[in-house]
Amino acid sequence: MTARESALSRRTFVKGSLAGLALAGASGSALYGCAPQSQKDSANGAADAPADQIAWSQCNVNCGGNCVFQWHSRDGKIVYMESDNTGDDALQARACLRGRSMRRWINHPDRLTKPMKRVGKRGEGKFEEISWDEAIDTIASELKRVIDTYGNEAIYVNYATGMYSCTGKQPGLRLLGMLGGYVNQAYDYSTNMLSAAMPFMYGNDKEKGSVFGPYDALNASSFSEAERASDLVVMFGNSPAETRMGGANAVWDFARVREAVTKRGGRIVNIDYRLNESSSGHPDEWLPIRPGTDAALASAIAHEWVVNDQIDLEFLHTYCVGYDEETMPESAKGQNKSYRAYLMGEGYDMVEKTPEWAAPITQIPADTIRALADEIAAAEAPFIAQGWGPQRHTNGEDTCRAICMLPILIGKIGLPGTNTGQREACPSVSLVGGLPFENPVKTAIPVYQWVNAVDHGHEMTATNAGISGADKLSSDIKLIWNYAGNCLTNQHGDINYTHDVLTDENKCEFILVWDTVMTDSAKYADILLPDAMRSEQLNMQTQGYTEYYTAVVVGGPAQEPPGECRSSYDVCADIADKFGMKDAFTEGKTQEQWIQELYEAGAEADGDMPSWDEIREQGVYKRTLDPVIGLEAFRTDPAKNPLGTPSGKIEIYSEQLADIAATWELEDDEVINPIPVFTPGFQGYGSVTDEYPLYCAGFHHKSRTHSSFGFIEELEQVARQQLWMNPLDAEPRGIADGDTVAVKSPAGEIRIEAKVTPRIVPGTIGIPQGAWHNADMDGDRVDTGACVNTLTTYKPTPLAKGNGPAHSIIAQVTKA
Ligand SMILES: Nc1nc2c(c(=O)[nH]1)N[C@H]1C(S)=C(S)[C@@H](COP(=O)(O)OP(=O)(O)OC[C@H]3O[C@@H](n4cnc5c(=O)[nH]c(N)nc54)[C@H](O)[C@@H]3O)O[C@H]1N2
Ligand SMILES: Nc1nc2c(c(=O)[nH]1)N[C@H]1C(S)=C(S)[C@@H](COP(=O)(O)OP(=O)(O)OC[C@H]3O[C@@H](n4cnc5c(=O)[nH]c(N)nc54)[C@H](O)[C@@H]3O)O[C@H]1N2
Ligand code: SF4
Ligand SMILES: [Mo]
């Protein structure tokens, strides 16, 4: 496909614009397949129905799709939505059912429409409407008080992903930066353990041109490359059909991968604790595995390859450090610390990692492990990819590296059709930037540590809590700025514990929440602001992080924001005014002017994007990217293109990790390993008890994006919040499909409907993450909303200090 894939869309486009939306002509609307009856009548001249106003927008939730919305409005009110119908239909970013329900969200009677202040206890959810003046005064004076009393490191901008656009969250960051800054966050909730651990293996060094990113196209190959040249796809906990659902999203790429690979006589193997929707209904092989044990499976496959002489020694000796004694760094030579010594039971735990060893851990029979080892070794171009489920465990830091050992050991890296073991690549191109901001504060906390930083930040250091940019925190967190996120409670770990920390007003003194509906996190606000949604203002966003195409969407507004909702840009400008900084904040520009300027800067840098006037007309600009092969340059010439590791090679053994393990303050059950070994982790393999005899893991659910859309009843009807449970576990408990059950973990208790199904490995239950927490927090705290974070325990992982407990839980289930 050519770069200017948008040519067709320009010809067929139905005109829409900012103020005074142009009316679509009857012939224009007839170009779209699914115009409603009144429109079709109008096109035929049968009735005199009013023509729609058209405005473009995008789905801004954090699923990475950034699917295209084409809003149809009448009398200034959205009436229905079409999705992307521009250009080549193989490249249409068509919205999934969630995106297509956005109108129900935007026009929901529960929309927040006025600023409010808390009148009850924190978390109780009692608020009183106030004026914007009062809200802005309070926010400005609290910011001033906290900065004057505790310094800027007492301000924390909570992790929040509900609004992807070039504005939205950015105005707040720009404002806070101008006020002296805020404590930064390292990593994210998506790839927390992987982002912390993988750079030790594949490197991260800007000067060497090897920068690590969990979403990048440097360390991973694209699905389009698998489609082009792979003959076997092995996926560990990766479900594009659920987590990248929209039109031009990876689910579509994956469908094409399946077609191409099977045509070549190859297969797709999906390793997951449940039969996920990416493989159900297809002839792929599902290998049910106990969650959190992928490193044991990888070790056993590796062991097979060693004993059958299927290892690529030449590759390991040329490109890697630490496979065997020959390539161990000086500091670790002669101590049986190589990866091979681990596999053969000559070092570390002194246990040989045979398939028979792995079988009871993983629940995968030894013969099946052997067959898989043979199949991968025999493939010409195995494409091995892991989703982010396996790393979102308490042993995730080792698991993600252990999976990457598979392509490394057989030298299937940097070659056509292969992948590095990471998730398939996402485009590294952003066509447009966001509102600029700069944070003078350089100190960062690992993202999952914020509750600890509220509770006892002053005790947190580089070696006991993973603080970076400084040796320690200078203050506890005293002010939380929470824009478009539900991570105060719902999406963070251990809601019951977090509630106790947040309700102590001596700890965090001020909480600002900015949302569109009354979420569980919003209940903890001291000031709660209503936001105008993207489709209610001029908006722009570049492509998401999941498709191998690049795009930019510019459009809106499709209707006026309800009540007193305003854009965050305008509100932040008013707060800046209280500090005498309005002009510096706005630079004399409106949000619309910023967006145009950002677009034009992107277009100029790209050289191929349409003009501002053109994009305002066509709404969408997109083009495909060429397939990429992860680490191809390194494979071709490792001397010229070294990795960003200290040795410039793939570090199977990391001296840096060995150093961290020796110098950090760790608890007895916290282990950091220089090589990727199998460790059970906290509430991992072997930790079940009589009281909590089941393993419990989570997964991302198709009826929501996290908690977003969680209140749209129609979506809940499509894919209900249910507990997955194998009949082998349900029957002895007298539980039948559809029963309401109680799930109890060491952290809390929920009520949920049981889905009794052989689609989950026995001994483990599965709960979709993101359901809306609903409990009497002054009473029994039993969560009838069935939010999985009522069950997770707040214990950050050893290296990343991350949200591994998200998928590592032990539990008991009883009939409620
Ligand atoms: N146990 C467990 N916990 C998890 C995970 C897990 O797998 N298991 N996954 C984790 C991951 S990967 C992530 S990314 C996080 C995500 O956690 P969050 O970033 O909190 O994501 P959402 O739950 O989607 O919350 C987004 C919020 O933004 C709001 N919003 C939407 N549009 C607008 C807008 O226009 N303006 C404003 N102001 N607000 C808006 C929504 O109403 C919603 O409250 O959750 C993490 N939590
Ligand atoms: N529909 C929908 N799409 C989304 C989101 C959403 O909430 N809903 N969230 C978006 C965001 S922000 C993110 S970060 C991504 C998340 O993307 P991922 O992190 O990849 O999603 P998960 O569902 O947590 O995990 C992927 C798969 O891993 C499996 N799994 C869990 N633990 C293990 C394990 O130990 N071993 C193995 N082999 N498999 C395991 C799960 O059953 C699941 O099928 O998705 C994005 N897309
Ligand atoms: S796939 Fe994701 S971005 Fe696309 S419409 Fe669905 S929720 Fe929105
Ligand atoms: Mo995420």
Side-chain angles (χ1 to χ4, degrees):
M1 192 162 316
T2 61
R4 276 300 182 103
E5 114 84 11
S6 46
L8 177 66
S9 67
R10 215 162 318 149
R11 282 197 302 277
T12 57
F13 128 87
V14 182
K15 204 167 195 164
S17 74
L18 181 56
L21 302 151
L23 294 188
S27 61
S29 57
L31 288 168
Y32 300 94
C34 45
Q37 198 53 45
S38 63
Q39 276 246 293
K40 288 177 190 156
D41 292 347
S42 163
N44 297 333
D48 219 7
D52 295 343
Q53 299 163 323
I54 308 282
W56 296 92
S57 181
Q58 12 33 81
C59 190
N60 288 105
V61 300
N62 177 20
C63 107
N66 193 36
C67 298
V68 176
F69 293 170
Q70 191 195 88
W71 290 116
H72 289 238
S73 309
R74 277 180 217 138
D75 301 327
K77 196 84 186 157
I78 289 170
V79 283
Y80 74 101
M81 183 227 284
E82 285 187 82
S83 191
D84 189 4
N85 48 19
T86 64
D88 184 330
D89 64 7
L91 200 58
Q92 287 179 348
R94 293 187 203 163
C96 77
L97 206 53
R98 284 167 293 157
R100 285 169 199 264
S101 307
M102 187 61 90
R103 180 175 62 92
R104 295 177 196 276
W105 183 347
I106 293 179
N107 288 340
H108 204 282
D110 291 351
R111 272 288 293 275
L112 302 174
T113 56
K114 290 199 168 143
M116 294 194 280
K117 72 173 178 198
R118 173 169 66 87
V119 290
K121 285 187 297 183
R122 269 218 192 121
E124 207 179 3
K126 286 196 183 140
F127 292 93
E128 189 179 279
E129 288 176 358
I130 55 173
S131 66
W132 273 109
D133 279 349
E134 184 182 344
I136 286 162
D137 273 343
T138 310
I139 295 164
S141 64
E142 282 300 300
L143 280 167
K144 187 167 181 340
R145 185 185 63 76
V146 169
I147 293 170
D148 289 349
T149 317
Y150 303 104
N152 284 77
E153 283 188 24
I155 297 181
Y156 184 63
V157 180
N158 204 26
Y159 186 71
T161 68
M163 173 43 54
Y164 276 86
S165 88
C166 69
T167 50
K169 191 173 180 177
Q170 280 82 348
L173 300 178
R174 180 174 169 85
L175 169 72
L176 294 174
M178 291 172 66
L179 298 179
Y182 49 93
V183 70
N184 292 286
Q185 53 200 209
Y187 319 124
D188 56 38
Y189 281 58
S190 313
T191 62
N192 204 334
M193 282 49 69
L194 185 139
S195 289
M198 284 311 307
F200 293 103
M201 188 173 228
Y202 286 150
N204 185 23
D205 186 337
K206 238 188 206 157
E207 276 169 26
K208 286 188 187 164
S210 155
V211 179
F212 179 83
Y215 311 98
D216 70 14
L218 196 72
N219 298 288
S221 311
S222 56
F223 264 154
S224 51
E225 177 59 22
E227 178 190 351
R228 203 183 62 76
S230 173
D231 60 346
L232 174 69
V233 173
V234 182
M235 304 229 285
F236 288 81
N238 194 16
S239 183
E242 280 152 305
T243 59
R244 275 92 81 207
M245 288 171 71
N249 221 329
V251 61
W252 169 238
D253 298 328
F254 183 60
R256 297 203 298 200
V257 169
R258 177 185 284 114
E259 217 173 283
V261 170
T262 48
K263 229 181 230 163
R264 275 180 212 117
R267 291 202 311 149
I268 313 281
V269 179
N270 215 305
I271 301 159
D272 200 310
Y273 76 88
R274 54 188 197 102
L275 175 54
N276 66 44
E277 305 224 352
S278 301
S279 51
S280 73
H282 295 285
D284 310 354
E285 179 171 6
W286 169 44
L287 275 189
I289 188 169
R290 191 198 308 278
T293 66
D294 301 74
L297 172 62
S299 305
I301 293 173
H303 181 274
E304 270 303 285
W305 289 342
V306 174
V307 297
N308 294 327
D309 216 7
Q310 288 160 312
I311 297 282
D312 186 342
L313 260 189
E314 199 189 321
F315 177 81
L316 290 165
H317 288 168
T318 314
Y319 292 88
C320 308
V321 167
Y323 165 67
D324 56 15
E325 209 43 53
E326 201 175 315
T327 56
M328 285 299 277
E330 280 309 317
S331 65
K333 266 203 189 318
Q335 300 165 44
N336 283 346
K337 283 187 172 170
S338 71
Y339 187 65
R340 193 178 191 284
Y342 167 72
L343 295 178
M344 302 317 289
E346 293 157 4
Y348 299 92
D349 58 3
M350 307 301 282
V351 177
E352 208 176 335
K353 306 300 169 318
T354 61
E356 282 70 21
W357 163 82
I361 300 173
T362 59
Q363 292 177 259
I364 302 177
D367 286 349
T368 310
I369 297 175
R370 289 205 163 83
L372 179 61
D374 271 350
E375 189 174 5
I376 301 175
E380 176 63 31
F383 189 96
I384 298 170
Q386 60 182 302
W388 299 331
Q391 59 89 46
R392 208 175 291 106
H393 280 272
T394 51
N395 60 359
E397 292 136 2
D398 286 328
T399 302
C400 58
R401 287 183 298 145
I403 293 169
C404 291
M405 282 310 299
L406 298 180
I408 292 171
L409 288 166
I410 50 176
K412 297 288 188 183
I413 275 189
L415 301 175
T418 67
N419 184 31
T420 58
Q422 298 215 143
R423 201 176 95 167
E424 69 282 353
C426 310
S428 46
V429 206
S430 281
L431 293 177
V432 293
L435 190 69
F437 62 90
E438 207 183 310
N439 184 7
V441 174
K442 297 300 162 215
T443 312
I445 59 170
V447 64
Y448 196 57
Q449 286 279 38
W450 69 269
V451 179
N452 280 334
V454 170
D455 188 64
H456 54 267
H458 59 283
E459 293 171 14
M460 291 165 68
T461 68
T463 54
N464 73 14
I467 304 303
S468 54
D471 290 338
K472 60 186 189 60
L473 288 186
S474 59
S475 169
D476 295 353
I477 290 171
K478 292 292 180 184
L479 185 151
I480 297 176
W481 180 285
N482 190 83
Y483 177 88
N486 202 356
C487 276
L488 284 179
T489 53
N490 218 83
Q491 296 307 112
H492 182 71
D494 199 340
I495 292 173
N496 290 330
Y497 172 68
T498 309
H499 170 90
D500 293 341
V501 173
L502 288 181
T503 47
D504 184 344
E505 290 174 44
N506 293 317
K507 289 179 177 163
C508 185
E509 296 176 2
F510 184 73
I511 300 178
L512 171 66
V513 176
W514 212 319
D515 211 299
T516 61
V517 282
M518 185 66 80
T519 62
D520 199 58
S521 293
K523 292 181 191 159
Y524 292 79
D526 296 313
I527 294 284
L528 174 55
L529 299 180
D531 206 12
M533 293 184 77
R534 263 342 69 176
S535 300
E536 294 163 344
Q537 47 194 303
L538 180 70
N539 58 81
M540 174 169 76
Q541 171 62 349
T542 193
Q543 89 287 333
Y545 53 81
T546 53
E547 324 79 354
Y548 222 70
Y549 86 117
T550 185
V552 64
V553 186
V554 181
Q559 67 179 20
E560 289 290 310
E564 295 178 19
C565 289
R566 304 174 66 197
S567 74
S568 60
Y569 179 83
D570 288 346
V571 176
C572 287
D574 285 353
I575 302 171
D577 198 28
K578 300 283 173 197
F579 292 89
M581 289 181 172
K582 187 165 188 165
D583 291 344
F585 177 84
T586 62
E587 294 179 23
K589 286 174 267 204
T590 61
Q591 172 164 287
E592 290 76 13
Q593 286 166 331
W594 273 109
I595 290 177
Q596 179 171 349
E597 196 177 290
L598 289 165
Y599 179 84
E600 286 174 338
E604 197 184 328
D606 183 76
D608 206 23
M609 280 158 61
S611 70
W612 173 251
D613 287 341
E614 287 172 320
I615 195 74
R616 288 299 288 119
E617 283 209 342
Q618 74 193 55
V620 191
Y621 168 74
K622 59 195 170 186
R623 61 172 189 251
T624 47
L625 298 171
D626 291 332
V628 289
I629 304 174
L631 301 185
E632 188 179 22
F634 169 67
R635 180 68 194 247
T636 310
D637 189 342
K640 201 167 144 213
N641 308 301
L643 297 184
T645 52
S647 62
K649 298 184 176 189
I650 296 172
E651 297 203 350
I652 300 169
Y653 181 97
S654 164
E655 275 184 299
Q656 286 179 310
L657 281 177
D659 190 48
I660 289 173
T663 52
W664 280 18
E665 296 164 47
L666 298 169
E667 287 170 28
D668 286 348
D669 60 350
E670 296 178 330
V671 197
I672 294 173
N673 297 295
I675 60 163
V677 306
F678 168 68
T679 32
F682 173 72
Q683 293 197 17
Y685 173 68
S687 67
V688 286
T689 60
D690 287 346
E691 195 178 358
Y692 304 110
L694 295 164
Y695 299 97
C696 172
F699 60 93
H700 289 232
H701 194 39
K702 62 184 177 183
S703 73
R704 296 182 296 268
T705 306
H706 310 294
S707 72
S708 288
F709 298 104
F711 67 110
I712 307 289
E713 279 169 21
E714 290 82 354
L715 287 171
E716 170 63 15
Q717 290 307 313
V718 173
R720 297 204 302 281
Q721 178 69 4
Q722 290 169 316
L723 173 83
W724 290 40
M725 188 174 208
N726 192 282
L728 290 174
D729 297 314
E731 274 158 26
R733 291 173 171 81
I735 292 168
D737 196 52
D739 282 352
T740 300
V741 294
V743 186
K744 225 177 164 174
S745 81
E749 184 173 345
I750 66 168
R751 293 282 181 276
I752 187 170
E753 178 188 331
K755 168 191 174 106
V756 178
T757 170
R759 278 176 57 186
I760 184 164
V761 70
T764 293
I765 53 172
I767 300 176
Q769 69 96 10
W772 283 35
H773 174 250
N774 182 18
D776 174 2
M777 296 306 282
D778 290 325
D780 62 9
R781 295 193 173 189
V782 171
D783 173 12
T784 54
C787 179
V788 72
N789 283 319
T790 299
L791 302 176
T792 50
T793 298
Y794 187 51
K795 181 172 162 65
T797 58
L799 175 69
K801 309 296 177 196
N803 65 344
H807 286 351
S808 292
I809 307 166
I810 53 171
Q812 175 60 299
V813 181
T814 51
K815 222 171 147 169

